Amino acid sequence: MDSRVNPDLSAFLRHWPYEPGEIKARKIRDAQGEEKLQMRVDLGVLQMEMRGRPDGQRPFGYESYCDYHQARLERYVEEHGDGSGFVLSPEECSQLRLESLQYYYRYLSLYALADYGGVCRDTEHNLALFDLVRTYADEEEDRFLLEQYRPYVIMMHTRARAHLRLKDQEAHKALEDLIAGINRIQAFFEEMGQRSLSEECEEVALLREMAEEILRAVPQDPLGPLRDEMKAAVAREDYERAAALRDEIRRLEASPHPK
């Protein structure tokens, strides 16, 4: 360490105090002019890269540890015809969980800064990582340790997509994204044999709250495109999709908003 640099961060941290319950983040530039992301946590500050792995590492030369294992899987399928014998060890799953935590901290920070494109990118990474572990983990416990967070990551991804739609003045598409996100979370609980939990979970409540806010803010009938999609689903005999759209339209119509 350069002896001219004082390693004590006390003064730095006093000027950027931690506040419980509040996500405090900022973008800065390093000495080379590269943009970095900082997040204030209770014991100090996390500094992250804006792209690639937040810690700046390139595992085995790949952008992320998840990408490395995806490449391993592709090579395995080429050699064996399918991935039925591909396995992720407990140690490999542990490394993937640690990577997903880094991306979690970054997408939380980016959401606080309204960088919704970055949130979409990082939540997509974590969902792909979850899929990899769910399919190929050798131990059931490794699947559970990540799957319990899937509804939250879907919710964050959906909210970020909806914000991007609203930025482009596409309220009806934002509503479509929100309903699709709700359906994904409900499908997750149904797959787990716990469909009733989807009506109690905070993630679904947050997505519905955002949908209701859009309805209150948009003067015309933003549900029109959703009604059209429901009719189209019936016409192509996709009754499950039509029923899901019907239920959400009824729920949103029942929420208090100006007519």
Coordinates of all heavy atoms in Angstrom, one line a residue, residues 176-234:
E176 N -49.1 -4.6 -19.7 CA -48.9 -6.0 -20.2 C -47.7 -6.7 -19.5 O -47.8 -7.8 -19.1 CB -48.7 -6.0 -21.7 CG -49.9 -5.6 -22.5 CD -49.6 -5.5 -24.0 OE1 -48.4 -5.7 -24.4 OE2 -50.5 -5.3 -24.8
D177 N -46.6 -5.9 -19.3 CA -45.4 -6.4 -18.6 C -45.7 -6.8 -17.2 O -45.3 -7.8 -16.7 CB -44.3 -5.4 -18.7 CG -43.6 -5.3 -20.1 OD1 -43.8 -6.3 -20.8 OD2 -43.0 -4.3 -20.4
L178 N -46.5 -5.9 -16.5 CA -46.8 -6.1 -15.1 C -47.7 -7.3 -15.0 O -47.5 -8.2 -14.0 CB -47.5 -4.9 -14.6 CG -46.6 -3.6 -14.4 CD1 -47.4 -2.4 -14.2 CD2 -45.6 -3.9 -13.3
I179 N -48.7 -7.5 -15.8 CA -49.5 -8.7 -15.8 C -48.7 -10.0 -16.1 O -48.9 -11.0 -15.4 CB -50.7 -8.6 -16.7 CG1 -51.7 -7.5 -16.2 CG2 -51.5 -9.9 -16.9 CD1 -52.9 -7.2 -17.1
A180 N -47.8 -9.9 -17.0 CA -47.0 -11.0 -17.4 C -46.1 -11.4 -16.2 O -45.9 -12.6 -15.9 CB -46.1 -10.7 -18.6
G181 N -45.6 -10.4 -15.5 CA -44.8 -10.6 -14.3 C -45.6 -11.3 -13.2 O -45.1 -12.2 -12.5
I182 N -46.8 -10.8 -13.0 CA -47.7 -11.4 -12.0 C -47.9 -12.9 -12.3 O -47.9 -13.8 -11.5 CB -49.0 -10.6 -11.9 CG1 -48.8 -9.3 -11.2 CG2 -50.1 -11.4 -11.1 CD1 -49.9 -8.3 -11.3
N183 N -48.2 -13.1 -13.6 CA -48.5 -14.5 -14.0 C -47.3 -15.4 -13.8 O -47.4 -16.6 -13.5 CB -48.9 -14.5 -15.5 CG -50.3 -13.9 -15.7 OD1 -51.1 -13.9 -14.8 ND2 -50.6 -13.5 -17.0
R184 N -46.0 -14.9 -14.1 CA -44.8 -15.6 -13.8 C -44.7 -16.0 -12.4 O -44.3 -17.2 -12.1 CB -43.6 -14.9 -14.3 CG -43.4 -14.8 -15.8 CD -42.1 -14.0 -16.1 NE -40.9 -14.7 -15.8 CZ -39.7 -14.2 -16.0 NH1 -39.5 -13.0 -16.4 NH2 -38.6 -15.0 -15.7
I185 N -44.9 -15.1 -11.5 CA -44.8 -15.4 -10.1 C -45.9 -16.4 -9.6 O -45.6 -17.3 -8.9 CB -44.9 -14.1 -9.2 CG1 -43.7 -13.2 -9.6 CG2 -45.0 -14.4 -7.7 CD1 -43.8 -11.8 -8.9
Q186 N -47.1 -16.2 -10.1 CA -48.1 -17.2 -9.8 C -47.8 -18.6 -10.3 O -48.0 -19.6 -9.6 CB -49.5 -16.7 -10.3 CG -50.0 -15.5 -9.6 CD -51.3 -15.0 -10.2 OE1 -51.6 -15.1 -11.4 NE2 -52.1 -14.3 -9.4
A187 N -47.2 -18.6 -11.5 CA -46.9 -19.9 -12.1 C -45.8 -20.6 -11.3 O -45.7 -21.8 -11.1 CB -46.4 -19.7 -13.5
F188 N -44.9 -19.8 -10.7 CA -43.8 -20.3 -9.9 C -44.4 -21.0 -8.6 O -44.0 -22.1 -8.3 CB -42.9 -19.2 -9.4 CG -41.9 -19.5 -8.3 CD1 -40.8 -20.3 -8.5 CD2 -42.2 -19.1 -7.0 CE1 -39.9 -20.6 -7.5 CE2 -41.4 -19.5 -6.0 CZ -40.2 -20.2 -6.2
F189 N -45.3 -20.3 -8.0 CA -45.9 -20.8 -6.8 C -46.8 -22.1 -7.1 O -46.8 -23.0 -6.3 CB -46.8 -19.8 -6.0 CG -46.0 -18.8 -5.2 CD1 -45.8 -17.5 -5.6 CD2 -45.3 -19.2 -4.1 CE1 -45.1 -16.6 -4.9 CE2 -44.6 -18.3 -3.3 CZ -44.4 -17.0 -3.7
E190 N -47.4 -22.0 -8.3 CA -48.2 -23.2 -8.7 C -47.3 -24.4 -8.9 O -47.6 -25.5 -8.5 CB -49.0 -22.9 -9.9 CG -50.0 -23.9 -10.3 CD -51.0 -23.5 -11.4 OE1 -51.1 -22.2 -11.6 OE2 -51.7 -24.3 -11.9
E191 N -46.2 -24.2 -9.5 CA -45.2 -25.2 -9.8 C -44.7 -25.8 -8.5 O -44.4 -27.0 -8.4 CB -44.0 -24.7 -10.6 CG -43.0 -25.7 -11.0 CD -41.9 -25.2 -11.8 OE1 -42.0 -24.1 -12.4 OE2 -40.8 -25.8 -11.9
M192 N -44.6 -25.0 -7.5 CA -44.1 -25.4 -6.1 C -45.3 -26.0 -5.3 O -45.1 -26.5 -4.2 CB -43.6 -24.2 -5.3 CG -42.3 -23.6 -5.9 SD -40.9 -24.6 -6.0 CE -40.8 -25.0 -7.7
G193 N -46.5 -26.1 -5.9 CA -47.6 -26.6 -5.2 C -48.2 -25.7 -4.1 O -48.8 -26.1 -3.2
Q194 N -47.9 -24.4 -4.3 CA -48.3 -23.4 -3.3 C -49.0 -22.2 -3.9 O -48.6 -21.0 -3.6 CB -47.1 -22.9 -2.4 CG -46.4 -24.1 -1.7 CD -45.2 -23.6 -1.0 OE1 -44.3 -22.9 -1.5 NE2 -45.0 -24.1 0.3
R195 N -49.9 -22.4 -4.8 CA -50.6 -21.4 -5.6 C -51.1 -20.3 -4.6 O -51.1 -19.1 -4.9 CB -51.7 -22.0 -6.4 CG -52.6 -21.0 -7.1 CD -52.0 -20.4 -8.4 NE -52.8 -19.3 -8.9 CZ -52.7 -18.9 -10.2 NH1 -51.9 -19.5 -11.0 NH2 -53.5 -18.0 -10.6
S196 N -51.7 -20.7 -3.5 CA -52.4 -19.7 -2.6 C -51.4 -18.7 -2.1 O -51.8 -17.6 -1.8 CB -53.0 -20.5 -1.5 OG -52.1 -21.2 -0.7
L197 N -50.1 -19.0 -2.0 CA -49.1 -18.1 -1.5 C -48.9 -16.9 -2.4 O -48.5 -15.8 -1.9 CB -47.8 -18.8 -1.2 CG -47.7 -19.8 -0.1 CD1 -46.3 -20.4 0.0 CD2 -48.2 -19.2 1.2
S198 N -49.2 -17.0 -3.7 CA -49.0 -15.9 -4.6 C -50.0 -14.8 -4.3 O -49.7 -13.6 -4.6 CB -49.2 -16.4 -6.1 OG -50.6 -16.8 -6.3
E199 N -51.1 -15.0 -3.7 CA -52.0 -14.0 -3.3 C -51.6 -13.2 -2.1 O -52.1 -12.2 -1.8 CB -53.4 -14.5 -3.1 CG -54.0 -15.1 -4.4 CD -54.1 -14.2 -5.5 OE1 -54.4 -13.0 -5.3 OE2 -53.7 -14.5 -6.7
E200 N -50.6 -13.8 -1.4 CA -50.2 -13.2 -0.1 C -48.8 -12.5 -0.3 O -48.4 -11.7 0.6 CB -50.1 -14.2 1.0 CG -51.4 -15.0 1.2 CD -51.2 -16.2 2.1 OE1 -50.1 -16.3 2.7 OE2 -52.2 -16.9 2.3
C201 N -48.1 -12.9 -1.3 CA -46.7 -12.4 -1.4 C -46.6 -10.9 -1.8 O -47.4 -10.4 -2.5 CB -45.9 -13.3 -2.4 SG -46.1 -12.9 -4.1
E202 N -45.6 -10.3 -1.2 CA -45.4 -8.9 -1.4 C -45.0 -8.5 -2.8 O -45.4 -7.5 -3.3 CB -44.2 -8.4 -0.5 CG -44.0 -6.9 -0.5 CD -42.9 -6.5 0.4 OE1 -42.3 -7.3 1.1 OE2 -42.6 -5.3 0.5
E203 N -44.4 -9.5 -3.5 CA -43.9 -9.2 -4.9 C -45.1 -9.0 -5.8 O -45.2 -8.0 -6.6 CB -43.1 -10.3 -5.4 CG -41.7 -10.4 -4.8 CD -41.7 -11.2 -3.5 OE1 -42.8 -11.7 -3.1 OE2 -40.6 -11.2 -2.8
V204 N -46.2 -9.8 -5.7 CA -47.4 -9.6 -6.5 C -48.1 -8.4 -6.1 O -48.6 -7.6 -7.0 CB -48.3 -10.9 -6.3 CG1 -49.7 -10.6 -6.9 CG2 -47.7 -12.1 -7.0
A205 N -48.1 -8.1 -4.8 CA -48.8 -6.8 -4.3 C -48.1 -5.6 -4.9 O -48.8 -4.6 -5.3 CB -48.8 -6.8 -2.8
L206 N -46.8 -5.6 -5.0 CA -46.0 -4.4 -5.5 C -46.3 -4.3 -7.0 O -46.5 -3.1 -7.5 CB -44.6 -4.6 -5.3 CG -44.1 -4.4 -3.8 CD1 -42.7 -4.8 -3.6 CD2 -44.3 -2.9 -3.4
L207 N -46.4 -5.4 -7.8 CA -46.7 -5.3 -9.2 C -48.1 -4.7 -9.4 O -48.3 -3.9 -10.3 CB -46.5 -6.6 -9.9 CG -45.0 -7.1 -9.9 CD1 -44.9 -8.4 -10.7 CD2 -44.1 -6.1 -10.5
R208 N -49.0 -5.2 -8.6 CA -50.4 -4.7 -8.8 C -50.5 -3.3 -8.4 O -51.3 -2.5 -9.0 CB -51.4 -5.6 -7.9 CG -51.6 -7.0 -8.6 CD -52.5 -7.8 -7.8 NE -52.8 -9.0 -8.4 CZ -53.1 -10.2 -7.9 NH1 -53.1 -10.3 -6.5 NH2 -53.4 -11.3 -8.6
E209 N -49.8 -2.9 -7.4 CA -49.8 -1.5 -7.0 C -49.3 -0.6 -8.1 O -49.8 0.5 -8.3 CB -48.9 -1.3 -5.7 CG -48.9 0.1 -5.2 CD -48.0 0.3 -4.0 OE1 -47.7 -0.8 -3.3 OE2 -47.5 1.4 -3.7
M210 N -48.2 -1.0 -8.8 CA -47.7 -0.2 -9.9 C -48.7 -0.2 -11.0 O -48.9 0.9 -11.6 CB -46.4 -0.8 -10.4 CG -45.7 0.0 -11.4 SD -44.0 -0.6 -11.8 CE -43.5 0.7 -13.0
A211 N -49.4 -1.3 -11.3 CA -50.4 -1.3 -12.3 C -51.5 -0.3 -12.0 O -52.0 0.4 -12.9 CB -50.9 -2.7 -12.5
E212 N -51.9 -0.3 -10.7 CA -53.0 0.6 -10.3 C -52.6 2.1 -10.4 O -53.4 2.9 -10.8 CB -53.4 0.3 -8.9 CG -54.2 -1.1 -8.8 CD -54.2 -1.6 -7.4 OE1 -53.8 -0.9 -6.5 OE2 -54.7 -2.8 -7.2
E213 N -51.3 2.3 -10.1 CA -50.8 3.7 -10.3 C -50.9 4.2 -11.7 O -51.2 5.3 -12.0 CB -49.4 3.8 -9.8 CG -49.3 3.7 -8.3 CD -47.8 3.6 -7.8 OE1 -46.9 3.6 -8.7 OE2 -47.6 3.6 -6.6
I214 N -50.6 3.2 -12.7 CA -50.6 3.6 -14.1 C -52.1 3.9 -14.5 O -52.4 4.8 -15.2 CB -50.0 2.4 -14.9 CG1 -48.5 2.3 -14.7 CG2 -50.3 2.7 -16.4 CD1 -47.9 1.1 -15.3
L215 N -53.0 3.1 -14.0 CA -54.4 3.3 -14.3 C -54.9 4.6 -13.8 O -55.7 5.3 -14.5 CB -55.3 2.1 -13.7 CG -55.2 0.8 -14.4 CD1 -55.9 -0.3 -13.5 CD2 -55.8 0.9 -15.8
R216 N -54.4 5.0 -12.6 CA -54.9 6.3 -12.1 C -54.3 7.5 -12.9 O -54.9 8.5 -13.0 CB -54.4 6.4 -10.6 CG -55.2 5.6 -9.7 CD -55.0 6.0 -8.2 NE -53.6 5.6 -7.8 CZ -53.3 4.5 -7.2 NH1 -54.2 3.6 -7.1 NH2 -52.1 4.2 -6.9
A217 N -53.1 7.3 -13.5 CA -52.4 8.3 -14.2 C -52.8 8.5 -15.6 O -52.6 9.6 -16.2 CB -50.9 8.1 -14.1
V218 N -53.3 7.4 -16.3 CA -53.6 7.5 -17.7 C -55.1 7.8 -17.9 O -56.0 7.1 -17.4 CB -53.3 6.1 -18.3 CG1 -53.7 6.1 -19.8 CG2 -51.8 5.8 -18.2
P219 N -55.5 8.9 -18.6 CA -56.9 9.3 -18.7 C -57.7 8.4 -19.6 O -58.9 8.1 -19.3 CB -56.8 10.7 -19.4 CG -55.4 10.7 -20.1 CD -54.5 9.8 -19.2
Q220 N -57.2 7.8 -20.7 CA -58.0 6.9 -21.5 C -58.0 5.5 -20.9 O -57.4 5.3 -19.9 CB -57.5 6.9 -22.9 CG -56.1 6.2 -23.1 CD -55.0 7.2 -23.2 OE1 -55.1 8.3 -22.8 NE2 -53.9 6.7 -23.8
D221 N -58.6 4.6 -21.6 CA -58.7 3.2 -21.2 C -57.4 2.5 -21.5 O -57.3 2.0 -22.7 CB -59.9 2.6 -21.8 CG -60.0 1.1 -21.4 OD1 -59.4 0.7 -20.4 OD2 -60.8 0.4 -22.0
P222 N -56.5 2.3 -20.6 CA -55.3 1.6 -20.9 C -55.4 0.1 -21.0 O -54.5 -0.6 -21.3 CB -54.3 2.0 -19.8 CG -55.2 2.3 -18.6 CD -56.5 2.8 -19.2
L223 N -56.6 -0.3 -20.5 CA -56.9 -1.8 -20.5 C -57.3 -2.3 -21.9 O -57.5 -3.5 -22.1 CB -57.9 -2.1 -19.5 CG -57.4 -1.9 -18.0 CD1 -58.6 -2.2 -17.1 CD2 -56.2 -2.8 -17.7
G224 N -57.6 -1.3 -22.8 CA -58.1 -1.7 -24.1 C -57.2 -2.7 -24.8 O -57.7 -3.8 -25.3
P225 N -55.9 -2.5 -24.9 CA -55.0 -3.5 -25.6 C -55.0 -4.8 -24.8 O -54.9 -5.9 -25.5 CB -53.6 -2.8 -25.5 CG -53.9 -1.3 -25.4 CD -55.2 -1.2 -24.6
L226 N -55.2 -4.8 -23.5 CA -55.2 -6.1 -22.8 C -56.5 -6.8 -23.1 O -56.5 -8.1 -23.2 CB -55.1 -5.8 -21.3 CG -53.9 -5.2 -20.8 CD1 -53.9 -5.0 -19.3 CD2 -52.6 -6.0 -21.2
R227 N -57.6 -6.1 -23.3 CA -58.9 -6.7 -23.7 C -58.7 -7.4 -25.1 O -59.2 -8.5 -25.3 CB -60.0 -5.7 -23.7 CG -60.3 -5.1 -22.3 CD -61.6 -4.2 -22.4 NE -61.5 -3.1 -21.6 CZ -61.7 -3.0 -20.3 NH1 -62.1 -4.2 -19.7 NH2 -61.6 -2.0 -19.6
D228 N -58.0 -6.6 -25.9 CA -57.8 -7.1 -27.3 C -57.0 -8.4 -27.3 O -57.2 -9.4 -28.0 CB -57.1 -6.1 -28.2 CG -58.0 -4.9 -28.5 OD1 -59.3 -5.0 -28.3 OD2 -57.5 -3.8 -28.8
E229 N -55.9 -8.4 -26.4 CA -55.1 -9.6 -26.3 C -55.9 -10.8 -25.7 O -55.7 -11.9 -26.2 CB -53.9 -9.3 -25.4 CG -52.9 -10.4 -25.3 CD -51.7 -10.2 -24.4 OE1 -51.5 -9.0 -23.9 OE2 -51.0 -11.2 -24.1
M230 N -56.8 -10.5 -24.8 CA -57.6 -11.6 -24.2 C -58.5 -12.2 -25.3 O -58.6 -13.4 -25.4 CB -58.5 -11.0 -23.1 CG -59.3 -12.1 -22.4 SD -60.3 -11.4 -21.1 CE -61.5 -10.4 -22.0
K231 N -59.1 -11.3 -26.2 CA -59.9 -11.8 -27.3 C -59.1 -12.7 -28.2 O -59.5 -13.7 -28.7 CB -60.6 -10.7 -28.0 CG -61.6 -9.9 -27.2 CD -62.1 -8.7 -27.9 CE -63.1 -7.9 -27.1 NZ -63.6 -6.7 -27.8
A232 N -57.8 -12.2 -28.5 CA -57.0 -12.9 -29.4 C -56.6 -14.3 -28.8 O -56.5 -15.3 -29.6 CB -55.7 -12.1 -29.7
A233 N -56.4 -14.3 -27.5 CA -56.1 -15.6 -26.9 C -57.2 -16.6 -27.0 O -57.0 -17.8 -27.2 CB -55.7 -15.3 -25.4
V234 N -58.4 -16.1 -26.8 CA -59.6 -16.9 -27.0 C -59.7 -17.4 -28.4 O -60.0 -18.6 -28.7 CB -60.9 -16.2 -26.6 CG1 -62.1 -17.0 -27.0 CG2 -60.9 -15.8 -25.1

